Amino acid sequence: MTSPQNIKGMRDHLPPAMLLRQHILHTLTTVFERHGFEPLGTPILEYAETLEGKLGEDEKLIYRFEDHGGRRLALRYDQTVPLARVVAQYSGQLALPWRRYAIGPSYRGERPGRGRYREFYQADADIVGSSSPLADAEIITILTESLTVLGFTDFTTLLNHRQIIGGIARVSGLDEAAAGDVYRAIDKLDKIGSDGVREELHERGVTPAAAERILTLVQLDGSPDDVLHELDTQLHGDERAIAALANLRAIIVALEAMGVPPACYRVAPRLARGLSYYTGLVFEAITAHWPAGSLLGGGRYDELVGMFAKNSVPTVGLAFGIDRLHDVMEELGLGPRATTTAAVYVTIFSTEQVAASLTLVQELRAAGINAITALDASSGLGKQFKEADRKGLRYALVLGPDELAQGMVSIRDMQSGAQHHVARGEVATELCRLLAAGAAS
RNA sequence: GUGUCUGUAGCUCAACGGUUAGAGCGCCUGACUGUGGAUCAGGAGGCUGUGGGUUCGACCCCCAUCAGACACCCCA
């Protein structure tokens, strides 16, 4: 391999992409902290044993290897299992319920595809140690706020409950083992249609009568109240499912109180979700602009932490897929379209004026303005303007003999080409004013 | 992990198995004034993803490998 190359499924992020990613991460951090969540950092590497036995079939996607000492290590598959490890390990230091967020890369040895990579960023927010429906509702509220602040206008959060899924399987006469298979088929409803699902169910040995029952229940649609009411009737007699419906109702009541618009969520009994550790609420956000998988997902997993600790620790949380968010936002033109970090370019007129320009640029920086100077004092103004233009900087300053003599600085608007003089002492305030006006429009 | 397709200049793409692999855009230099975008003139840039094979001769055909796209599978 003579020419440099990326490892399969792992990407570089050049400045324009990285700026959007950072905008996303910063926005999510702000929302998380607005809700009082605390940051947690854990290593990318864990003992393989820590990750094994929690993910079901997905386990084969874990990157595993041995270190120099022959220890079996693994790259983390998500940030949830490490959270569970931390909760068990530091149980004495953590006051529960604990609201924590974590942002970082995880790794899965999958075949890369649209919106799917082997190294991908997730932003997680979880409430550890509470089984209250208020915790579930808080997570959904964070989800809604985050997507709204990022600029999404037409997303929907699908809500479901593992015990509704279980109940539907049970009243259709299936045992727990078969239910998983069935739900994998139902999860594809949007993609292959009800006929396709019917066929798949048949292939998996579900009787036609049971398949029809399942399809009917799973395709219930309408207002959350209507869907829950109908499920109540249909699942009558299945205690766990009835309890799940009550739980969803309580969550929705809390959502309403927190002002989450009803148009943002639906009860969708067909939502399955793959990760095997979920035990209660499950949800994911979808948008018509991204047919390939969900933007984020999550749910309640009350037993996972208990696999490390002795007692069970009820937990609910979500994970944003940063790479998918990024790709969708790019397609929709959401977020800042900056290609660089600086806003102002200070030219250097000639080798005699180097000091004057350097002094000026430091003043701008002290005033909170991101600014750069030319690095080659002997290059002409034309070349310097060109550099400023190519970088996408909004303003260029000229400080030549004429300006120096008059105690002025020329401010050039690189978009319009217009140029005006400002007194040397007023430059920073004038630029702040211009930049604020530009940001507002 | 399975299947299909793709890989040529920084980017988008040409080139019948046959001379020295081309074009547009971009990049660099100059015309050019104390000033970018426009125009004109010139210039740099390639072991055709990589490694084998077939052939007198390979960008082109065959095999392998790496990377990418799409559809499965699954998921963020």
Side-chain angles (χ1 to χ4, degrees):
Chain A
M1 197 187 302
T2 50
S3 64
Q5 220 166 19
N6 283 77
I7 292 172
K8 188 188 188 75
M10 308 216 176
R11 307 183 296 166
D12 297 314
H13 305 289
L14 294 180
M18 206 56 201
L19 285 166
L20 179 53
R21 285 171 77 81
Q22 288 184 337
H23 166 76
I24 294 170
L25 296 181
H26 180 255
T27 302
L28 294 178
T29 302
T30 304
V31 174
F32 293 163
E33 295 191 351
R34 186 83 69 225
H35 286 255
F37 282 59
E38 301 163 352
L40 170 70
T42 64
I44 286 170
L45 287 174
E46 295 277 354
Y47 284 112
E49 187 188 327
T50 302
L51 304 188
E52 288 163 353
K54 281 88 187 171
L55 302 165
E57 283 192 28
D58 291 338
E59 207 162 299
K60 58 177 189 264
L61 302 178
I62 297 175
Y63 275 103
R64 270 174 275 223
F65 55 92
E66 277 191 7
D67 73 359
H68 298 320
R71 286 173 280 261
R72 290 177 55 247
L73 306 182
L75 285 164
R76 68 178 180 210
Y77 176 91
D78 61 15
Q79 300 187 110
T80 306
V81 174
L83 169 65
R85 196 207 84 223
V86 165
V87 170
Q89 213 171 312
Y90 300 88
S91 58
Q93 296 171 46
L94 298 169
L96 302 184
W98 181 34
R99 300 163 177 85
R100 80 86 244 219
Y101 71 88
I103 297 175
S106 294
Y107 300 83
R108 296 180 192 179
E110 280 187 293
R111 182 78 170 256
R114 177 173 161 85
R116 177 194 296 177
Y117 307 97
R118 289 186 170 178
E119 177 185 67
F120 59 99
Y121 259 66
Q122 283 185 316
D124 287 30
D126 296 83
I127 300 180
V128 182
S130 168
S131 52
S132 165
L134 298 186
D136 301 73
E138 177 100 42
I139 295 294
I140 302 296
T141 304
I142 286 178
L143 179 173
T144 309
E145 275 181 37
S146 299
L147 290 181
T148 304
V149 173
L150 285 172
F152 286 88
T153 50
D154 65 338
F155 62 90
T156 309
T157 304
L158 306 180
L159 305 174
N160 198 11
H161 192 291
R162 270 288 153 95
Q163 287 309 324
I164 293 178
I165 299 174
I168 289 176
R170 287 188 292 269
V171 301
S172 304
L174 300 170
D175 59 34
E176 298 283 337
D181 254 13
V182 167
Y183 258 90
R184 226 157 295 149
I186 287 162
D187 207 26
K188 288 189 273 185
L189 189 59
D190 289 333
K191 213 178 278 179
I192 61 179
S194 53
D195 288 342
V197 173
R198 191 172 290 119
E199 206 169 299
E200 283 222 14
L201 289 176
H202 183 72
E203 281 169 20
R204 290 170 201 274
V206 177
T207 65
E212 287 314 313
R213 183 90 197 266
I214 290 170
L215 273 168
T216 308
L217 289 173
V218 130
Q219 289 186 86
L220 286 175
D221 206 1
S223 74
D225 273 352
D226 292 347
V227 174
L228 290 174
H229 183 77
E230 185 59 27
L231 285 171
D232 241 341
T233 318
Q234 298 287 333
L235 299 178
H236 185 74
D238 189 295
E239 273 182 37
R240 280 178 288 174
I242 298 301
L245 291 169
N247 180 240
L248 268 191
R249 274 206 186 82
I251 291 169
I252 288 170
V253 167
L255 287 179
E256 285 167 357
M258 285 194 275
V260 175
C264 289
Y265 57 87
R266 288 208 315 263
V267 173
R270 69 164 184 277
L271 175 66
R273 295 198 54 73
L275 291 174
S276 52
Y277 48 62
Y278 291 119
T279 55
L281 172 76
V282 290
F283 59 86
E284 65 184 41
I286 57 169
T287 163
H289 303 284
W290 188 260
S294 57
L295 293 176
L296 86 185
R300 174 166 283 283
Y301 48 102
D302 285 348
E303 304 306 328
L304 178 60
V305 177
M307 296 178 82
F308 296 103
K310 286 185 179 121
N311 46 337
S312 80
V313 182
T315 302
V316 60
L318 60 73
F320 285 88
I322 302 302
D323 300 84
R324 288 181 180 180
L325 272 178
H326 176 275
D327 290 352
V328 184
M329 288 180 68
E330 204 168 48
E331 273 181 35
L332 298 181
L334 300 177
R337 45 190 193 86
T339 55
T340 188
T341 51
V344 174
Y345 188 100
V346 180
T347 61
I348 297 181
F349 187 82
S350 70
T351 48
E352 284 75 39
Q353 270 78 38
V354 172
S357 289
L358 293 183
T359 305
L360 177 59
V361 77
Q362 279 303 107
E363 279 178 37
L364 299 181
R365 290 166 180 161
I369 297 167
N370 295 359
I372 59 174
T373 61
L375 294 175
D376 181 4
S378 63
S379 71
L381 281 182
K383 212 169 168 184
Q384 297 184 30
F385 278 126
K386 193 167 182 180
E387 184 189 351
D389 181 49
R390 287 184 47 204
K391 289 270 179 203
L393 303 188
R394 185 62 203 272
Y395 297 102
L397 304 188
V398 179
L399 193 51
D402 294 352
E403 284 87 354
L404 278 175
Q406 300 168 39
M408 308 286 273
V409 171
S410 294
I411 300 179
R412 183 180 183 82
D413 183 325
M414 294 304 287
Q415 277 171 30
S416 66
Q419 197 166 314
H420 68 286
H421 296 280
V422 169
R424 175 67 180 76
E426 303 294 317
V427 181
T429 26
E430 172 68 0
L431 280 172
C432 283
R433 196 184 62 75
L434 288 171
L435 290 171
S441 65

